[in-house]
Amino acid sequence: MASKLLLVLHSHIPYVKRQGRWPFGEVWLFEAMAETYIPLLRNWNRLQEEGLSAPVTISFSPPLLEQIRSQYIHRQFVEYLHEKERLALEDERWYVSQSDHEMAQLANYYYRFYQDIRRDYLVELDGNIIEAARRLQEAGQFEIITTAASHAYLPLLDRNSLKYQIYWAQKTYEKHFNAAPRGFWLPECGYFQGVEDLLIRYGFKYFFVDSHALEGGHPCSVFSGGGDEPLLVEAEPFVQTGLSTYCPYKVKNKDIMVLGRNAMVSQQVWSADSGYPGDPRYREFHRQSHRSGYKYWQVTDRFNSLDTKKCYNPEQAQQLTQYHAQDFIRSIMSTGHEAEAMGYPEPLIVGCYDTELFGHWWWEGIDWLDTVMRGFIAEPELDFTLPSQIPDELPEAQVFESSWGMGGKHYVWENPETNWMWDIIRRANREFEALEIWPSAPEMRRQTYRQILRELILLESSDWLFMVSNNLTRDYALKRFFEHYSKFTRLVSVFKSGNYTESFLQWLNRIQLEDDLLDDL
């Protein structure tokens, strides 16, 4: 019997449209588009053209969908690609003038990369990432799912905010894919008992949790986001259940499927210490040229200072992806054999990753993933599967409150650094619920009410909490958090008073342009 790999890629970028460009803001989105989403779609299109099938489950967060479908983002992204090409040519000329031919070759390598990305985006994808993904879903290569409206950390929200986050996620998906979503990615794998009731209410058929949510034991935490060091927190082990992520389940007494992330498979790819991305020969993410922002160095040694890094060698790194892909395939086969020995004749192996790991954080990850997909196709002991292909008759499981963050619960998002942020979020929730609006209300009043809800949803984004907790662009996160809250409070004040001055209307027009997430709200 073949082991079945259920590969899940979770795609999300904070809502950065018209919120600054460099070094924080739209550049995050453009980097992910150029280095991850477009290369990923290109590779899956090639597999399809070759008659090969490697189906994958992929989520697109509502903020990501709303941004990449924007004509403004389209224009700015093409401009960004031209700028990257120009900077690479300037670097190449500079290095040639310094007789540094190795670095000049690297600069030319980057020039060709971004030139190819611009061609692929405009010609092969017709400038439409969402449509390209939709076609792959129709062809059975993708099973696209959604996540919370602003990628909020759901276990700590009140019920009304949960409803808004799930309802508007569903509506955004339907708008972009002309179909109802079946699966839901819990942001940060944040689960609490009762969230499945809302998922069922809005028609969802399955969701994902971390391994300890089903198996118990000691959490094997994922740290995504590229920071230098994760938070350190003492993790108490969960009660061992005797269940396994090798099997899908129905939540106890509920008609919804839960799938558990395989800790070993995920850690092998994620970890900078023991996983593939930390290999000394791969490209170093954190050191970049002060002139162009390009990264010309390899990891070399993770524990040495950035100025000791050696020059990056793309050809050597490319060869290494082949070796690591084969190692991963052998590891999956070994895992499958162990699962069979434990009594799972057709074990399900669920690998969950942030999509942006491949290409953006781990430059070589796209090539590694392509090689893995092709290797799986060629291996008779391995097969791909999708959640929709899993039979309905399943055993039941009680699921623990959990996340994939450090400590296995909520600490990364609620801790002494962020408690005051949750106080503000909860106060804003109560203020919003106290507002009343009628269908017959004047249009300006209804516009104000809708913008209040947008600002509340954006305020709840898990991104601001995560950045503050891990000191990742902390100042930017605080700036965004306070901006959304100050907009929220001014909108609420005018909504209550009805004092729609000319200056307020001009300001409202501006923030409706800035914060136009869920524009059909």
Side-chain angles (χ1 to χ4, degrees):
M1 292 293 212
S3 299
K4 295 184 180 295
L5 177 68
L6 199 160
L7 181 65
V8 186
L9 303 178
H10 171 53
S11 317
H12 169 64
I13 296 293
Y15 204 73
V16 293
K17 177 184 173 187
R18 293 193 175 93
Q19 296 289 346
R21 169 67 69 85
W22 177 268
F24 313 123
E26 290 172 354
V27 68
W28 293 343
L29 174 62
F30 298 153
E31 287 173 346
M33 291 169 69
E35 299 165 12
T36 297
Y37 308 142
I38 293 169
L40 188 81
L41 291 167
R42 177 180 60 196
N43 285 357
W44 252 268
N45 281 335
R46 287 176 179 171
L47 286 170
Q48 186 179 5
E49 289 167 3
E50 295 171 28
L52 302 175
S53 181
V56 62
T57 304
I58 185 166
S59 75
F60 289 98
S61 73
L64 179 58
L65 289 173
E66 295 285 81
Q67 290 178 100
I68 60 180
R69 69 87 186 242
S70 160
Q71 282 302 305
Y72 165 81
I73 289 296
H74 168 78
R75 293 191 298 270
Q76 295 297 310
F77 178 57
V78 173
E79 182 181 298
Y80 165 84
L81 294 176
H82 280 297
E83 177 72 2
K84 295 294 286 187
E85 293 170 50
R86 181 186 66 77
L87 290 170
L89 287 177
E90 289 180 359
D91 269 7
E92 183 180 17
R93 286 193 291 268
W94 192 87
Y95 283 121
V96 167
S97 73
Q98 301 298 307
S99 298
D100 192 336
H101 299 295
E102 187 176 23
M103 296 290 269
Q105 286 179 344
L106 269 175
N108 182 260
Y109 160 80
Y110 281 123
Y111 170 74
R112 288 181 283 109
F113 173 85
Y114 284 99
Q115 190 177 54
D116 289 346
I117 289 296
R118 182 163 56 87
R119 180 204 61 216
D120 292 338
Y121 177 65
L122 293 175
V123 179
E124 300 300 324
L125 304 183
D126 196 27
N128 194 328
I129 289 173
I130 296 174
E131 177 61 21
R134 188 187 64 79
R135 288 196 299 267
L136 284 166
Q137 174 157 257
E138 290 178 348
Q141 298 296 318
F142 280 2
E143 184 162 317
I144 302 175
I145 65 176
T146 190
T147 186
S150 66
H151 205 264
Y153 188 66
L154 302 183
L156 303 180
L157 290 181
D158 65 26
R159 188 169 180 84
N160 284 321
S161 286
L162 283 167
K163 287 192 294 185
Y164 300 138
Q165 288 282 343
I166 296 171
Y167 174 80
W168 286 108
Q170 177 197 52
K171 291 302 178 186
T172 303
Y173 183 101
E174 291 173 349
K175 176 176 69 176
H176 291 292
F177 296 110
N178 197 30
R182 289 176 50 83
F184 193 92
W185 177 267
L186 297 173
E188 320 298 354
C189 284
Y191 170 83
F192 71 98
Q193 190 171 1
V195 70
E196 63 270 16
D197 295 328
L198 282 172
L199 295 177
I200 293 168
R201 173 177 172 179
Y202 291 111
F204 291 98
K205 304 301 182 184
Y206 60 87
F207 63 94
F208 299 87
V209 294
D210 205 355
S211 55
H212 57 276
L214 289 171
E215 297 177 339
H218 203 282
C220 184
S221 303
V222 164
F223 177 65
S224 59
D228 294 325
E229 295 294 338
L231 284 172
L232 298 177
V233 58
E234 190 69 26
E236 295 182 7
F238 288 60
V239 175
Q240 295 280 1
T241 65
L243 303 180
S244 172
T245 60
Y246 294 130
C247 176
Y249 299 92
K250 287 287 182 72
V251 177
K252 190 175 182 179
N253 299 323
K254 304 291 172 64
D255 188 22
I256 190 168
M257 180 170 62
V258 57
L259 297 147
R261 180 181 75 101
N262 184 288
M264 184 282 296
V265 167
S266 300
Q267 193 77 0
Q268 193 171 10
V269 181
W270 266 118
S271 175
D273 294 313
S274 58
Y276 303 129
D279 190 283
R281 292 159 287 185
Y282 284 138
R283 194 187 75 166
E284 170 61 57
F285 178 83
H286 294 96
R287 184 181 178 188
Q288 58 190 31
S289 165
H290 66 275
R291 283 189 314 278
S292 63
Y294 278 117
K295 300 174 174 68
Y296 288 106
W297 297 273
Q298 61 186 27
V299 172
T300 311
D301 188 327
R302 288 189 63 247
F303 303 101
N304 287 353
S305 61
L306 292 177
D307 59 0
T308 65
K309 305 294 183 179
K310 296 179 181 178
C311 186
Y312 178 60
N313 185 324
E315 291 77 18
Q316 183 187 58
Q318 173 65 28
Q319 292 173 3
L320 189 60
T321 63
Q322 307 296 310
Y323 169 76
H324 280 153
Q326 292 304 317
D327 180 73
F328 182 76
I329 292 168
R330 288 192 296 269
S331 175
I332 294 293
M333 292 174 63
S334 175
T335 299
H337 293 155
E338 291 175 7
E340 288 177 27
M342 293 167 58
Y344 299 93
E346 281 191 325
L348 179 71
I349 302 172
V350 181
C352 300
Y353 312 98
D354 278 355
T355 312
E356 298 79 25
L357 168 67
F358 304 101
H360 178 57
W361 298 111
W362 178 21
W363 180 255
E364 301 81 7
I366 290 287
D367 292 332
W368 175 87
L369 189 58
D370 184 58
T371 305
V372 166
M373 296 297 98
R374 294 174 183 275
F376 263 72
I377 292 168
E379 178 50 63
E381 289 189 32
L382 302 173
D383 200 1
F384 294 102
T385 194
L386 296 170
S388 60
Q389 297 170 334
I390 296 174
D392 287 336
E393 296 300 319
L394 297 171
E396 291 190 340
Q398 186 73 53
V399 186
F400 291 128
E401 186 166 325
S402 55
S403 79
W404 72 357
M406 189 65 60
K409 283 194 176 179
H410 313 314
Y411 186 83
V412 172
W413 300 275
E414 186 177 44
N415 55 67
E417 295 292 319
T418 63
N419 285 335
W420 63 271
M421 299 173 75
W422 282 108
D423 290 342
I424 288 175
I425 290 171
R426 288 162 184 150
R427 183 163 62 247
N429 288 331
R430 291 192 297 270
E431 287 186 72
F432 179 76
E433 291 307 317
L435 302 179
E436 294 183 283
I437 187 73
W438 297 274
S440 59
E443 174 58 24
M444 186 53 60
R445 188 170 176 81
R446 285 187 280 123
Q447 279 190 38
T448 305
Y449 183 84
R450 290 193 294 267
Q451 195 62 37
I452 292 170
L453 180 54
R454 285 193 190 95
E455 299 301 338
L456 176 60
I457 288 172
L458 286 165
L459 183 74
E460 294 169 341
S461 170
S462 69
D463 300 292
W464 321 136
L465 300 154
F466 182 81
M467 291 180 204
V468 169
S469 295
N470 287 281
N471 205 27
L472 297 169
T473 58
R474 178 189 180 95
D475 290 344
Y476 178 79
L478 291 174
K479 172 179 176 291
R480 290 293 305 277
F481 185 83
F482 282 126
E483 284 178 349
H484 291 303
Y485 185 54
S486 65
K487 291 172 184 176
F488 174 89
T489 55
R490 183 177 181 185
L491 288 161
V492 168
S493 175
V494 171
F495 183 86
K496 288 179 175 179
S497 70
N499 187 22
Y500 289 94
T501 64
E502 185 61 31
S503 64
F504 171 80
L505 296 178
Q506 291 175 358
W507 175 79
L508 177 61
N509 287 335
R510 178 172 63 79
I511 68 163
Q512 284 176 325
L513 184 66
E514 287 177 357
D515 300 337
D516 58 350
L517 178 69
L518 312 175
D519 63 2
D520 56 347
L521 206 158

